[in-house]
């Protein structure tokens, strides 16, 4: 069977600031997913939240960008928005940027990551498993470094030295400043490794769109690399991206994908989406209540049975004491950079300052500059 995994996420309102949705909103999403399975639109589905973003994880046979699946996700976010509005939540409907999506929700606000593959549980894929990273208070470029390291650097992924992976992976890198159509370049690791790094070092402009096995021509990963500010033409919230990664066998193992997150590396985001802050690994359903909207990332692991259903249980990788040290490190790194407030590297450069207001303030001042005439 041609199986598609679709992850569609949006922030449609949160309690007392940009913190977390109401439980009733996530429950509404879960009950709609159960109904969609009964109606045969989906094979399986699950909903959770990270910070103020609701994540829908779905399996089905309708392919990528399917109107039915995307419309279902949109309607689910509309229903959750209604609950947010009734309760007076902050930013109700924040990421729903259009009145109605045309054929799919790409470009309409919600983040989308989808992977389609032949699912037969035999040959080079005797078992199917995948991981889902979901982050809040940051942009898609937050995944550039950890995903590059897991798919292109044997210091982090020893599996790259094995026959099934030694040819490496192809990276489709997207120029996120293009809002109307996707602008993509394909680069092959390992030989284009430095070129990939040359693009991915710029987290705000270039992101990973997808990654492919060069040995088996199978899609390994998809990132929701659509940027809200490019779509809306102004800041409406941070993108808060997801990555869907198939794991094990011909792909990196979960531990290889997780290891780079021990860095708690600095990313663009945090308060007003305009700062540089470390990314802290947390369990799912964690509110965004860390210092200065500390960016957070969660990681879930699933197995998929022969019918395309998710395993009854999932693994929440960062829900473990093993990650406590990294959480402390992230908070220490946050304290260090917050020490310098608005100065230099602590805030994003002008072009990336998210709330229009910061830029309005500077532009108004620019009008007042005058060339000093010589005495
Ligand atoms: P969200 O994008 O998660 O809504 O956060 C926005 C923000 O500006 C927090 O200060
Ligand atoms: Mg929000
Ligand atoms: Mg958010």
């Amino acid at each position: 069977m041609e199986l598609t995994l679709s992850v569609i996420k949006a922030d449609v309102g949160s309690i007392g600031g940009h913190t977390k949705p109401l439980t009733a909103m996530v429950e509404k999403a879960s009950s709609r997913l159960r109904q969609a399975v009964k109606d045969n639109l989906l094979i399986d589905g699950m909903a959770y939240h990270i910070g103020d973003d609701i994540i829908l994880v779905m399996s089905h046979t309708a392919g990528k960008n399917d109107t039915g699946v995307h419309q279902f996700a949109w309607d689910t976010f509309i229903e959750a928005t209604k609950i947010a509005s009734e309760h007076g939540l902050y930013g109700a409907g924040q990421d729903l940027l259009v009145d109605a999506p045309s054929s799919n929700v790409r470009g309409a606000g919600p983040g989308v990551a989808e992977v389609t593959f032949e699912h037969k549980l035999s040959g080079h894929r005797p078992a199917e498993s995948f991981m889902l990273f979901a982050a809040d208070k940051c942009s898609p470029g937050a995944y550039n470094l950890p995903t590059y390291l897991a798919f292109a650097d044997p210091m982090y992924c020893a599996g790259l030295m094995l026959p099934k992976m030694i040819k490496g992976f192809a990276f489709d890198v997207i120029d996120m400043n293009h809002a109307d159509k996707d602008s993509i370049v394909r680069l092959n690791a390992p030989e284009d490794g430095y070129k990939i790094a040359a693009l991915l070092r710029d987290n705000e402009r270039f992101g990973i769109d997808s990654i492919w096995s060069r040995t088996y021509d199978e899609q390994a990963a998809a990132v929701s690399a659509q940027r809200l500010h490019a779509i809306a033409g102004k800041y409406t919230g941070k993108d808060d991206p997801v990555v869907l990664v198939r794991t094990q066998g011909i792909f990196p193992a979960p531990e290889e994908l997780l290891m780079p997150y021990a860095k708690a590396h600095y990313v663009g985001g945090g308060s007003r989406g305009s700062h540089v802050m470390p990314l802290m690994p947390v369990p799912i359903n964690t509110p965004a209540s860390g210092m200065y909207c500390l960016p957070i990332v969660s990681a879930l692991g699933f197995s998929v049975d022969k019918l395309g259903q998710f395993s009854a249980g999932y693994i929440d990788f960062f829900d473990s004491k093993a990650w406590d040290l990294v959480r402390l490190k992230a908070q220490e790194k946050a304290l260090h950079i917050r020490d310098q407030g608005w100065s230099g590297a602590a805030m994003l450069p002008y072009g990336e300052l998210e709330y229009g207001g910061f830029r309005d303030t500077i532009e108004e001042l620019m009008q007042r500059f005058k060339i000093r005439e010589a005495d």
Side-chain angles (χ1 to χ4, degrees):
M1 122 179 55
E2 278 264 290
L3 188 69
T4 298
L5 302 173
S6 296
V7 182
I8 306 186
K9 52 114 335 222
D11 172 354
V12 290
S14 45
I15 310 167
H18 291 281
T19 59
K20 64 170 192 174
L22 280 173
T23 308
M25 293 161 69
V26 183
E27 276 169 359
K28 172 57 97 179
S30 302
S31 71
R32 282 182 54 86
L33 285 164
R34 282 193 295 277
Q35 189 58 45
V37 171
K38 280 193 195 135
D39 297 343
N40 291 324
L41 175 69
L42 303 176
I43 299 172
D44 212 340
M46 180 201 166
Y48 63 97
H49 77 88
I50 179 74
D52 56 10
D53 291 81
I54 297 178
I55 321 289
L56 309 178
V57 196
M58 300 168 280
S59 66
H60 56 89
T61 54
K64 293 180 188 177
N65 293 320
D66 178 69
T67 307
V69 171
H70 280 229
Q71 187 65 48
F72 163 78
W74 182 267
D75 294 342
T76 301
F77 292 130
I78 294 280
E79 291 296 315
T81 299
K82 282 185 197 155
I83 299 173
S85 300
E86 277 161 24
H87 289 262
L89 296 199
Y90 191 75
Q94 174 181 288
D95 288 355
L96 308 181
L97 300 180
V98 298
D99 290 335
S102 48
S103 61
N104 64 66
V105 301
R106 277 178 199 273
V112 183
E114 297 184 301
V115 177
T116 297
F117 51 91
E118 188 55 38
H119 183 59
K120 42 182 195 247
L121 298 187
S122 61
H124 58 262
R125 218 59 196 140
E128 187 59 46
S129 53
F130 70 93
M131 279 176 79
L132 186 53
F133 291 91
D136 189 30
K137 309 291 178 261
C138 58
S139 55
Y143 294 121
N144 285 3
L145 178 63
T147 313
Y148 172 86
L149 293 175
F151 279 94
D153 188 339
M155 285 286 286
Y156 292 83
C157 178
L160 292 169
M161 294 183 272
L162 302 177
K164 287 175 181 168
M165 279 188 269
I166 201 151
K167 266 203 211 158
F169 289 89
F171 284 67
D172 282 352
V173 176
I174 185 165
D175 179 349
M176 297 184 289
N177 280 3
H178 271 257
D180 42 347
K181 294 217 165 97
D182 289 352
S183 175
I184 307 271
V185 62
R186 174 162 290 202
L187 294 165
N188 289 321
E191 61 269 35
D192 294 329
Y194 299 163
K195 292 180 184 160
I196 299 170
L199 293 176
L200 296 187
R201 59 161 205 91
D202 186 345
N203 282 351
E204 309 309 322
R205 174 153 186 193
F206 300 104
I208 297 167
D209 170 80
S210 50
I211 299 177
W212 301 76
S213 160
R214 294 173 71 191
T215 309
Y216 298 95
D217 197 28
E218 290 245 13
Q219 187 168 356
V223 183
S224 64
Q226 309 89 32
R227 295 211 55 195
L228 282 168
H229 81 149
I231 299 168
K234 61 178 173 24
Y235 181 63
T236 57
K238 208 69 184 165
D239 309 284
D240 305 336
V242 290
V243 188
L244 186 54
V245 198
R246 295 168 72 199
T247 56
Q248 295 287 157
I250 64 170
F251 303 122
E255 61 275 23
E256 291 164 332
L257 288 151
L258 292 163
M259 197 60 223
Y261 289 89
K263 290 184 182 305
H265 67 302
Y266 288 111
V267 301
S271 176
R272 302 181 188 277
S274 300
H275 293 81
V276 174
M277 292 285 276
L279 186 61
M280 181 167 79
V282 294
I284 63 165
N285 300 326
T286 296
S289 59
M291 62 184 82
Y292 227 54
C293 282
L294 186 67
I296 49 177
V297 62
S298 60
L300 279 189
F302 295 87
S303 284
V304 184
D305 73 9
K306 59 180 185 306
L307 300 174
Q309 289 166 342
F310 306 146
S311 44
Y314 55 80
I315 168 88
D316 185 347
F317 286 101
F318 293 139
D319 187 13
S320 156
K321 287 201 178 327
W323 289 90
D324 282 353
L325 189 60
V326 178
R327 286 190 263 276
L328 285 178
K329 174 179 168 180
Q331 290 170 78
E332 263 190 9
K333 287 181 74 167
L335 283 170
H336 289 312
I337 195 137
R338 287 314 319 135
D339 246 7
Q340 69 176 60
W342 44 261
S343 180
M347 277 188 93
L348 290 175
Y350 176 79
E352 280 300 323
L353 284 178
E354 292 284 23
Y355 274 103
F358 282 126
R359 291 168 63 139
D360 295 345
T361 301
I362 294 165
E363 257 142 46
E364 192 266 320
L365 290 168
M366 291 313 292
Q367 307 298 321
R368 293 169 50 190
F369 275 76
K370 293 208 166 49
I371 302 294
R372 183 191 279 151
E373 299 302 341
D375 294 335

